Amino acid sequence: MKQIQQHVSVREILQLLVRRFGLLQKDGAQCCGVTVIQSHILYELERRPSISLNELSQLLSMDTGAISRQIQQLVELGLINRIPDPKDRRYVVLSLTEKGTRQSREIAVTMESYVQSIFQFIPEDKQEQVLESLQMLSEAMSKSANCCTPPL
């Protein structure tokens, strides 16, 4: 019985974390006129320049059609370049424009500030433990056959 209660508690905590962090991301992204998913796209493109649409959709666990619509909006906003892959013109390579890089960094500053404000409420001697636990949870989630694959 205790194990079931523990699983319920983990779910509740994850639900709260997703809500709280999701609301922050919405606020963080809106500072720059992009949606939450668009801010995720900008983040991934800054981390991985010249990524294909298929790779990006896998990273974000979204179908290519949904990602493609978001990419089109970001292209229209002047934040992303969409270039045919020189090796195979059926594929598209995505990269940030200068404006896209600035937007991505502005969102990053907002997010970093928020995370710093959270960590001020965690005792200094526990901060590394929190990070380690989050990394462990993320890794376990990535290994689960039932987690984090489309559709969620």
Side-chain angles (χ1 to χ4, degrees):
M1 185 68 167
K2 184 177 180 182
Q3 189 174 18
I4 292 172
Q5 289 174 335
Q6 183 181 28
H7 293 159
V8 169
S9 293
V10 168
R11 180 180 176 198
E12 287 176 8
I13 291 167
L14 286 173
Q15 294 273 124
L16 281 172
L17 285 171
V18 167
R19 280 187 214 134
R20 288 178 178 154
F21 198 70
L23 290 174
L24 162 79
Q25 287 181 320
K26 182 178 178 187
D27 292 342
Q30 285 180 342
C31 75
C32 305
V34 296
T35 66
V36 174
I37 187 59
Q38 290 170 345
S39 74
H40 285 277
I41 291 168
L42 295 175
Y43 174 80
E44 292 301 336
L45 289 178
E46 185 158 9
R47 291 181 65 214
R48 297 170 179 86
S50 301
I51 191 172
S52 75
L53 184 66
N54 290 338
E55 292 169 315
L56 182 61
S57 68
Q58 288 175 343
L59 271 172
L60 296 175
S61 298
M62 292 181 66
D63 68 79
T64 53
I67 290 288
S68 188
R69 287 186 292 279
Q70 297 297 323
I71 294 296
Q72 181 58 37
Q73 291 176 0
L74 291 167
V75 167
E76 290 170 7
L77 290 169
L79 302 175
I80 290 181
N81 291 316
R82 185 172 32 196
I83 304 162
D85 188 329
K87 298 174 193 163
D88 187 341
R89 300 195 54 84
R90 294 174 295 175
Y91 293 99
V92 174
V93 176
L94 305 169
S95 62
L96 293 176
T97 63
E98 279 186 43
K99 182 179 177 184
T101 299
R102 285 192 307 271
Q103 292 284 72
S104 180
R105 291 183 181 161
E106 189 176 336
I107 293 168
V109 166
T110 301
M111 298 298 290
E112 288 168 17
S113 174
Y114 178 71
V115 171
Q116 286 176 350
S117 73
I118 291 171
F119 267 69
Q120 75 178 349
F121 298 107
I122 299 171
E124 201 169 316
D125 63 328
K126 299 287 185 183
Q127 291 179 5
E128 188 66 34
Q129 179 185 352
V130 169
L131 181 58
E132 191 176 300
S133 296
L134 287 171
Q135 288 171 329
M136 196 180 316
L137 178 62
S138 177
E139 188 176 317
M141 290 171 74
S142 74
K143 292 177 182 177
S144 171
N146 299 319
C147 183
C148 314
T149 56
L152 284 178

